[in-house]
Amino acid sequence: MDSDSIGQILFIAMLILMSAYFSASETAFFSMNKIRMKNMASNGSKRAELVLKLAENYDKLLSSILIGNNIVNIASSSIATVLFVKWLGNTGVSVSTAAMTVIVLIFGEITPKSLAKNMPERFALFSAPILRVINIILSPLNLIFSLWQKLVYKVVKPPKDRGVTEEELLTMVEEAQNDGEINPYESELIRNAIEFNDIEVIDIHTNRVDVIAVDLNTSNEEIERIFREHGYSRLPVYKDSIDNIVGILNQKDFNNASKDDFKIKKIMNTPVFVVPAMKISQLLTLLQKKKSHMAVIIDEYGGTVGIVTLEDILEELVGEIWDEHDEVIENIKKIGDNKYKVLCSSDLDNMFETFNVENEFDIATVGGWVIQTFERIPEFGESFDYKNLHITVSKRDNRHIIEITVEIIENQSTDE
């Protein structure tokens, strides 16, 4: 083999290496985590800043990479053809085509792209300075292709970028948890924060029938007893009817008030009134502004629907908050094999999620769902089947059902 052939082989190897570089760069910039790169840039990494600057104009960067990649691939194939023709004559054209196709695919495309896919940020940081120079060299060609791209976009209008949707954010969080980058608690906290703005006050309220309130004319002894028995720090105050709430009584203000000339009017705070459809994110801002811990939900007629507290809102973010006075209540409690007791005040979505059943109802609570199913308040012991669940009313009073028993029926599809 003469020195010219050796030089041509070395030149082909260098071109294949450049092809691998361009292929890996394309994959790295496409696959890299921009948030991670922004964090590196904010921590003082100049390379990361350059990567982000190049990524801002991805069309120009991609154009430079593709031009460079095609130039080196065509050049390597042409030189290889000349070399093989010199060795094999006319047969060398076919042999060169087959050999270079395999070599370019393995060493110029598949292998570098696979490696870059597994470490995109590292390779993007490595390739950024070289790509900046290539961008400058290929600027005239990029300008021509940019004008061509604008012409194409006028004929075929691309859809507008919608940005990242809530569903996509939730998917990112799930993937981050699966990859071990965040723990389950952090994942749940982020998911709650993303979905926070979708929740309405009616979804987390305490119904009026469960509200502990006092009349405007209640004696201080009775108020003291109610505070002591129920352990609440605040009580709604009504006049004549709970539909006419006129104030909020704070236990601290009550304890500090003079009992000789006691009048609720003097120490109660002005209530905050909200509508059922108000978002809890808006309510949180309102309660902060009003320096209040409780809001009263009213309907279109001004009647009381229920109350919602600051604690209720925060629990949507961080989960249940228990203090030393709270009685820990299990909404869903296992009592046997495939058998559970469920409080009717429980969230219907949570119950169906626990039993891996799709929720097809626009109802907030378990009790509301059971009553809708019977189209009346069912009697103790009455039951019905829904998909693979057997539901039995296990506790009720004169006005509403309190508890049901849920038995999972085995070997029955939930899609029936």
Side-chain angles (χ1 to χ4, degrees):
M1 186 180 294
D2 56 26
S3 58
D4 286 343
S5 296
I6 294 173
Q8 288 175 324
I9 291 172
L10 291 175
F11 190 50
I12 291 171
M14 185 187 72
L15 291 173
I16 295 297
L17 188 63
M18 291 176 65
S19 175
Y21 167 79
F22 284 120
S23 297
S25 297
E26 179 187 352
T27 301
F29 274 85
F30 181 77
S31 305
M32 72 175 184
N33 189 320
K34 286 188 177 180
I35 296 174
R36 190 173 298 161
M37 199 63 68
K38 286 179 180 178
N39 287 335
M40 295 171 66
S42 64
N43 290 330
S45 173
K46 298 297 182 183
R47 283 282 183 98
E49 290 179 11
L50 179 57
V51 169
L52 291 172
K53 187 176 180 181
L54 290 171
E56 282 178 6
N57 195 346
Y58 184 73
D59 288 342
K60 181 180 178 182
L61 177 66
L62 182 61
S63 178
S64 296
I65 291 173
L66 293 177
I67 291 170
N69 203 11
N70 279 283
I71 288 173
V72 297
N73 285 340
I74 292 171
S76 63
S77 297
S78 299
I79 296 170
T81 301
V82 171
L83 191 61
F84 276 96
V85 167
K86 185 169 68 174
W87 290 343
L88 305 173
N90 292 335
T91 311
V93 176
S94 301
V95 174
S96 172
T97 301
M100 289 306 296
T101 299
V102 173
I103 291 171
V104 169
L105 276 175
I106 295 175
F107 299 105
E109 293 289 335
I110 297 173
T111 302
K113 285 186 174 182
S114 297
L115 292 173
K117 180 68 172 63
N118 291 324
M119 47 182 182
E121 291 82 17
R122 189 186 305 178
F123 199 87
L125 290 169
F126 162 76
S127 63
I130 304 172
L131 287 176
R132 178 174 58 180
V133 175
I134 293 172
N135 253 350
I136 295 170
I137 295 172
L138 297 178
S139 289
L141 285 174
N142 279 330
L143 179 60
I144 295 172
F145 285 116
S146 175
L147 294 173
W148 169 251
Q149 187 182 58
K150 289 180 181 178
L151 180 62
V152 171
Y153 282 173
K154 285 184 178 180
V155 178
V156 183
K157 293 184 178 179
K160 293 182 179 180
D161 186 7
R162 298 180 294 113
V164 180
T165 65
E166 184 176 300
E167 290 76 14
E168 289 168 340
L169 275 175
L170 291 170
T171 302
M172 290 179 194
V173 173
E174 185 177 349
E175 289 180 354
Q177 181 184 343
N178 293 337
D179 293 341
E181 295 178 4
I182 59 176
N183 60 47
Y185 174 76
E186 291 170 330
S187 173
E188 183 67 22
L189 191 61
I190 295 170
R191 275 197 292 265
N192 290 343
I194 293 171
E195 297 172 342
F196 189 68
N197 198 49
D198 297 333
I199 304 172
E200 298 177 350
V201 295
I202 195 65
D203 297 325
I204 63 170
H205 79 299
T206 300
N207 195 280
R208 57 176 287 158
V209 298
D210 298 315
V211 172
I212 305 300
V214 294
D215 187 87
L216 192 61
N217 299 317
T218 304
S219 65
N220 60 353
E221 291 84 3
E222 179 64 13
I223 294 173
E224 186 176 1
R225 183 191 65 80
I226 293 173
F227 271 127
R228 185 175 62 253
E229 285 187 3
H230 294 280
Y232 296 128
S233 59
R234 290 168 182 82
L235 294 173
V237 179
Y238 62 86
K239 182 179 180 181
D240 300 328
S241 165
I242 197 169
D243 280 318
N244 184 27
I245 292 179
V246 293
I248 305 295
L249 181 60
N250 192 309
Q251 186 180 26
K252 187 182 292 184
D253 295 334
F254 172 75
N255 291 337
N256 294 333
S258 172
K259 300 302 184 286
D260 296 331
D261 185 25
F262 174 76
K263 287 186 179 179
I264 295 181
K265 277 186 179 181
K266 292 181 180 180
I267 59 173
M268 69 181 186
N269 299 313
T270 304
V272 176
F273 294 102
V274 296
V275 295
M278 188 179 195
K279 302 294 184 183
I280 62 173
S281 57
Q282 296 173 312
L283 177 58
L284 179 59
T285 303
L286 179 62
L287 291 178
Q288 289 173 319
K289 182 180 177 181
K290 298 288 186 180
K291 295 181 174 62
S292 179
H293 283 243
M294 180 184 292
V296 179
I297 308 171
I298 56 174
D299 59 23
E300 58 186 308
Y301 305 107
T304 300
V305 175
I307 62 169
V308 61
T309 66
L310 186 61
E311 184 177 307
D312 294 329
I313 299 173
L314 295 178
E315 284 179 340
E316 290 302 311
L317 281 175
V318 300
E320 289 292 335
I321 301 173
W322 305 98
D323 62 31
E324 61 273 19
H325 300 296
D326 284 337
E327 179 187 353
V328 179
I329 298 173
E330 292 185 76
N331 289 323
I332 301 175
K333 183 178 181 181
K334 188 172 184 179
I335 57 174
D337 291 339
N338 295 328
K339 201 168 186 180
Y340 300 81
K341 283 200 176 294
V342 180
L343 294 180
C344 290
S345 58
S346 303
D347 184 86
L348 186 62
D349 280 332
N350 290 343
M351 187 194 80
F352 280 140
E353 186 177 341
T354 300
F355 298 125
N356 197 27
V357 174
E358 183 181 355
N359 185 4
E360 301 172 349
F361 303 91
D362 187 20
I363 303 173
T365 65
V366 173
W369 170 62
V370 174
I371 290 173
Q372 185 188 74
T373 301
F374 281 101
E375 296 183 343
R376 57 182 171 82
I377 300 176
E379 298 295 330
F380 173 82
E382 287 194 272
S383 63
F384 68 95
D385 291 334
Y386 177 71
K387 296 195 174 181
N388 68 325
L389 305 178
H390 181 68
I391 315 295
T392 305
V393 177
S394 55
K395 194 174 182 180
R396 59 155 290 170
D397 60 18
N398 292 331
R399 294 183 297 171
H400 59 291
I401 54 174
I402 299 171
E403 185 182 79
I404 60 171
T405 300
V406 178
E407 186 175 358
I408 300 175
I409 304 170
E410 295 183 345
N411 302 323
Q412 186 169 330
S413 172
T414 60
D415 297 326
E416 292 181 0

